[in-house]
Amino acid sequence: MAKIQFLQLPVPPPSYFAATGNVPLAAASLASCLESKVDPVKGITASVISPEDTDSLGDINLIDRICKEGPDFLGLSLYLWNTERSLYIANEVKKRNPEIKILVGGPEVNEDNPYVLGETGFDIAVSGEAEHSFRTLMKSLLNKESLENVENVAYRKKDGSLSTFGVPAQANFPLTDFPSPYTTGHLQVNPKRSTYLETVRGCKSQCTYCFYPKSSQTLRTLDIKETIHLISNLKNQGARELVFLDPTFNHRPGFESFLDAIAEVNADGQMTMFAELRSEGVTPKLATKLRKAGFNRIELGLQSVNEETLKRVKRYGSPEKVAEVAKMLAGEGIDLLLDLIIGLPGDTPDDVERGIHFFLEHGLGEWVQAFPLSVLPGTSMRKDAGKEGLVYMPTPPYRIIQTPTFSPETLRDSVYFAEDLLERRLDEFPRPFLCDGISGTSDRFDWYPLDSNQVLASNLRLLEPGTRHHSIWFHPESFSKDLSEIQTLMAKKIDLEPFCTIDFVIELKEVPKSKEIQSLVDLLELKRNSYLSKTLAYRGENLQHRLVFVFPEGNERFRNWSTQLDGSESYLVYETIPLTAISNLDPEVAHFYYLKGDTVTPKDWDLLKASMDPEMITFSSRTLEEKWCMEVLGYGEI
């Protein structure tokens, strides 16, 4: 019996305790489609690497696990956020177990994405919505048949080159053709995580920046009876939040009756729900029905306040209508996500400013999320990028770099300007992991200079495999003296696990020279070659490899040095403060504080919450850090 293992890596979160939103629905759906009751694919068993493992395992441990289990086939679901790491893992697995056939699929696998197709670590690429093609592919592989005529499939030829894709075919199979992964056991409901589901595939909209129109322009729906049966099943398994991945939730036929049916099965309010809507057609009656069904969050895309831009990108719609519906939903007590894309063809920085003011004037500013455009594979915008004068990153996140109306500087400044108007940061903050180590874990490593008694065990362990997010603490006697060794070890660690999130923490005993710091900054810049490291590159930040300095409490030389920093640095500086000194902190002084100790009084905890910027406080205690992240920063899966 052959074995296929599926790996779907999550969105890498910016912080140790932040939610990953890790629900491998695509991987589990592919595993489940092999078990169709009508025509199961015989001779193969499927498994999906669990979210708990993909959330925690670092690069080496993940590769070790796959190679040890030794599947015949490894399937990778490629998305914007995981493509580079997935392809790296594919390459490393292939080096160690060349007999494993590696398959890649997902939105990133397209004929217009030379980055993915130029990689050599996989054997087969599948384009488009995959269940039907995938079953045909697996039958051909198991029967050792030619792949030459398999729809939507490209394969590695004997000379190592990749063939062209087989005849492209849009998916037209009913959603009832294949069982839900929640019913086959390939995907478990976890009450602490969101539960993802699809009741519609395809999208009637033609937005040029979106992949969905290419996937399918014909709506295929799971009918109301089938959907309610699935939702009831998920509820019985303990689901607490349902996230509908339908491209446009309210485009499905019989939408009002659909909401009534959901409200009936969720009459006890056990579950909350999230979906993305188009504002067109939403009435006060529908807003009430959404609330009664259990929807507590809705996403509405304005994208631009410039109606000519909306026509140009085939979004269409009216900003006034979006605002009207947003207020309607807010009036029902529903929280919102209101999207504004920076850098759309035809837009200018003035349009971004007008868009933010538009939301503020309507009292909707608290829900705005503004972000730079990504020119995604498989979109008509990518096809027309040259004609539109769009310059974008060739690798994830495919972030727009320049347009005829936006320079790189004005793109960045538009984000900052939006933040000034909204009085909050729009991007997630790269919060470092500074907690004390615990025996038996691999998320903190410590290095000491060679003349230290503590050196041997710690330094030997430094280059061992780590968790997906871990910290490396350097404790130099002299930063200047040990700088070369620190640089060497940082470079080795990144090369060893290039897609782990690593906080490089240096505990200072002397004020560092600017040129010494710059040498470490330059090193990390040279290693800035992953989605996570490039996501916030336009603002000088690195979500993958972070540099952190920690200095002792009450030292005026260090305080004077840190107060001279203007906040544009690509590193963070923390002053160590004992928990007993919380009452002495001055909220008017913009310091980052590293609070040492295991217990804090309720009075001091409340003081921190009430008076301090929450992102400027972190703890050595894991219990307190997690509590702060959950209670104050609002982290958590649901």
Side-chain angles (χ1 to χ4, degrees):
M1 182 74 75
K3 295 186 298 182
I4 183 168
Q5 189 172 65
F6 291 94
L7 174 65
Q8 182 175 334
L9 295 171
V11 179
S15 308
Y16 187 90
F17 288 108
T20 61
N22 187 0
V23 181
L25 181 62
S29 295
L30 289 175
S32 296
C33 83
L34 298 176
E35 301 174 10
S36 170
K37 291 181 181 179
V38 177
D39 181 25
V41 177
K42 297 177 181 178
I44 191 164
T45 59
S47 63
V48 180
I49 298 178
S50 74
E52 289 73 23
D53 287 336
T54 52
D55 272 355
S56 60
L57 295 177
D59 297 341
I60 292 175
N61 284 333
L62 200 48
I63 294 162
D64 284 347
R65 173 187 165 149
I66 293 167
C67 291
K68 181 179 179 181
E69 294 183 359
D72 301 282
F73 304 95
L74 175 65
L76 303 170
S77 295
L78 304 189
Y79 292 88
L80 176 75
W81 53 82
N82 71 16
T83 292
E84 290 161 310
R85 190 181 185 211
S86 297
L87 292 173
Y88 170 77
I89 289 170
N91 272 294
E92 295 303 306
V93 168
K94 202 70 176 172
K95 287 177 187 175
R96 289 164 57 172
N97 285 29
E99 68 278 8
I100 295 177
K101 280 204 174 297
I102 298 179
L103 297 74
V104 297
E108 294 287 291
V109 181
N110 272 283
E111 290 178 327
D112 65 352
N113 194 355
Y115 161 63
V116 169
L117 300 186
E119 291 291 308
T120 58
F122 61 87
D123 299 287
I124 297 165
V126 184
S127 179
E129 197 176 327
E131 283 96 333
H132 188 268
S133 300
F134 181 68
R135 286 168 51 81
T136 304
L137 168 64
M138 292 312 301
K139 289 177 181 179
S140 297
L141 288 170
L142 292 170
N143 294 330
K144 302 188 185 310
E145 298 170 350
S146 169
L147 304 181
E148 189 173 354
N149 297 315
V150 180
E151 295 174 345
N152 298 336
V153 166
Y155 56 91
R156 192 73 57 191
K157 295 187 287 189
K158 288 183 179 179
D159 64 2
S161 64
L162 194 67
S163 75
T164 56
F165 281 92
V167 177
Q170 284 204 347
N172 57 10
F173 57 86
L175 299 191
T176 51
D177 272 10
F178 306 116
S180 164
Y182 293 106
T183 61
T184 60
H186 288 298
L187 191 57
Q188 304 297 320
V189 170
N190 183 340
K192 295 183 179 180
R193 295 179 187 265
S194 302
T195 300
Y196 291 4
L197 71 160
E198 291 178 302
T199 72
V200 175
R201 290 194 186 176
C203 186
K204 293 191 296 185
S205 299
Q206 298 295 306
C207 308
T208 64
Y209 49 80
C210 183
F211 176 78
Y212 278 118
K214 178 176 180 180
S215 177
S216 176
Q217 296 172 20
T218 303
L219 296 189
R220 286 170 296 128
T221 63
L222 197 63
D223 66 32
I224 293 177
K225 182 180 177 181
E226 288 280 352
T227 303
I228 295 305
H229 178 73
L230 175 59
I231 291 175
S232 298
N233 183 294
L234 297 175
K235 181 181 180 182
N236 292 335
Q237 292 184 53
R240 291 177 55 200
E241 181 187 65
L242 301 184
V243 173
F244 289 86
L245 300 181
D246 307 359
T248 305
F249 188 57
N250 57 324
H251 274 184
R252 69 144 44 233
F255 182 59
E256 188 173 332
S257 299
F258 184 47
L259 292 179
D260 290 338
I262 296 175
E264 185 175 344
V265 77
N266 193 36
D268 58 3
Q270 176 180 311
M271 298 180 292
T272 59
M273 304 184 196
F274 170 81
E276 181 177 353
L277 306 182
R278 287 291 299 246
S279 57
E280 296 82 6
V282 178
T283 62
K285 182 180 180 182
L286 281 177
T288 300
K289 286 181 180 288
L290 283 161
R291 188 254 304 161
K292 288 182 176 178
F295 286 86
N296 68 332
R297 288 190 304 136
I298 292 289
E299 184 170 359
L300 291 174
L302 172 63
Q303 318 309 6
S304 173
V305 76
N306 184 332
E307 293 194 36
E308 289 304 311
T309 294
L310 294 177
K311 292 177 185 176
R312 187 166 174 174
V313 300
K314 298 185 179 180
R315 173 71 185 185
Y316 305 109
S318 159
E320 291 295 337
K321 181 62 177 177
V322 172
E324 175 192 339
V325 171
K327 286 187 278 190
M328 200 184 293
L329 294 169
E332 293 287 343
I334 298 173
D335 289 333
L336 304 170
L337 292 175
L338 302 173
D339 299 337
L340 199 67
I341 301 177
I342 298 173
L344 286 172
D347 258 2
T348 67
D350 286 343
D351 292 315
V352 177
E353 180 180 349
R354 288 196 304 116
I356 300 296
H357 279 297
F358 175 81
F359 281 126
L360 290 171
E361 288 161 5
H362 284 279
L364 301 168
E366 65 181 292
W367 290 303
V368 175
Q369 50 178 17
F371 47 88
L373 171 71
S374 286
V375 183
L376 300 174
T379 62
S380 58
M381 182 170 287
R382 176 174 281 222
K383 180 181 178 182
D384 295 334
K387 184 172 66 177
E388 293 281 12
L390 306 181
V391 181
Y392 59 92
M393 295 179 181
T395 59
Y398 310 114
R399 177 70 46 80
I400 192 73
I401 296 172
Q402 189 169 337
T403 79
T405 51
F406 279 95
S407 68
E409 293 74 27
T410 52
L411 281 164
R412 179 200 61 211
D413 292 345
S414 289
V415 174
Y416 290 153
F417 186 77
E419 290 181 337
D420 288 342
L421 288 176
L422 296 169
E423 298 182 333
R424 58 184 165 85
R425 182 183 169 110
L426 292 169
D427 292 311
E428 294 178 294
F429 178 74
R431 183 177 180 82
F433 175 65
L434 303 182
C435 294
D436 292 335
I438 295 179
S439 177
T441 64
S442 300
D443 56 19
R444 170 163 168 162
F445 301 86
D446 290 87
W447 175 89
Y448 296 90
L450 291 176
D451 57 354
S452 167
N453 294 329
Q454 299 167 291
V455 67
L456 186 59
S458 294
N459 289 12
L460 287 175
R461 185 170 175 265
L462 187 65
L463 297 179
E464 290 180 1
T467 54
R468 182 193 51 77
H469 186 169
H470 57 270
S471 62
I472 311 290
W473 279 70
F474 294 97
H475 308 272
E477 288 296 330
S478 165
F479 180 59
S480 297
K481 176 184 173 184
D482 295 318
L483 177 60
S484 178
E485 180 71 6
I486 291 171
Q487 285 176 311
T488 299
L489 290 171
M490 284 174 61
K492 283 184 178 179
K493 191 65 180 179
I494 293 173
D495 291 342
L496 195 65
E497 301 200 276
F499 295 96
C500 286
T501 299
I502 307 176
D503 295 304
F504 295 103
V505 188
I506 299 173
E507 195 171 50
L508 294 172
K509 292 187 177 180
E510 60 189 13
V511 175
K513 298 180 177 66
S514 59
K515 66 179 182 179
E516 294 171 340
I517 296 176
Q518 190 59 46
S519 68
L520 297 183
V521 170
D522 291 344
L523 168 64
L524 296 184
E525 282 297 316
L526 285 174
K527 301 290 185 179
R528 195 194 281 269
N529 54 10
S530 67
Y531 160 82
L532 202 59
S533 69
K534 292 179 289 189
T535 298
L536 298 185
Y538 71 95
R539 64 190 302 160
E541 296 175 357
N542 188 332
L543 283 165
Q544 189 91 65
H545 305 123
R546 291 89 77 95
L547 181 60
V548 183
F549 294 98
V550 175
F551 67 84
E553 176 198 14
N555 186 303
E556 287 303 316
R557 288 183 299 113
F558 282 114
R559 282 187 174 175
N560 290 338
W561 165 61
S562 65
T563 54
Q564 292 171 11
L565 304 176
D566 65 10
S568 65
E569 296 79 16
S570 57
Y571 54 89
L572 295 170
V573 178
Y574 284 82
E575 179 177 1
T576 306
I577 299 289
L579 288 172
T580 53
I582 286 175
S583 59
N584 298 330
L585 297 181
D586 184 353
E588 299 301 317
V589 177
H591 272 344
F592 283 86
Y593 293 108
Y594 174 50
L595 300 182
K596 289 280 287 183
D598 295 322
T599 58
V600 60
T601 67
K603 179 181 178 182
D604 284 343
W605 183 263
D606 290 341
L607 179 65
L608 284 176
K609 287 171 58 177
S611 62
M612 304 300 291
D613 181 338
E615 289 291 7
M616 301 181 86
I617 298 294
T618 191
F619 298 85
S620 65
S621 161
R622 289 172 186 248
T623 301
L624 294 177
E625 175 68 8
E626 184 173 12
K627 182 182 178 184
W628 185 262
C629 288
M630 302 300 173
E631 184 180 313
V632 182
L633 292 171
Y635 289 177
E637 290 293 343
I638 64 171

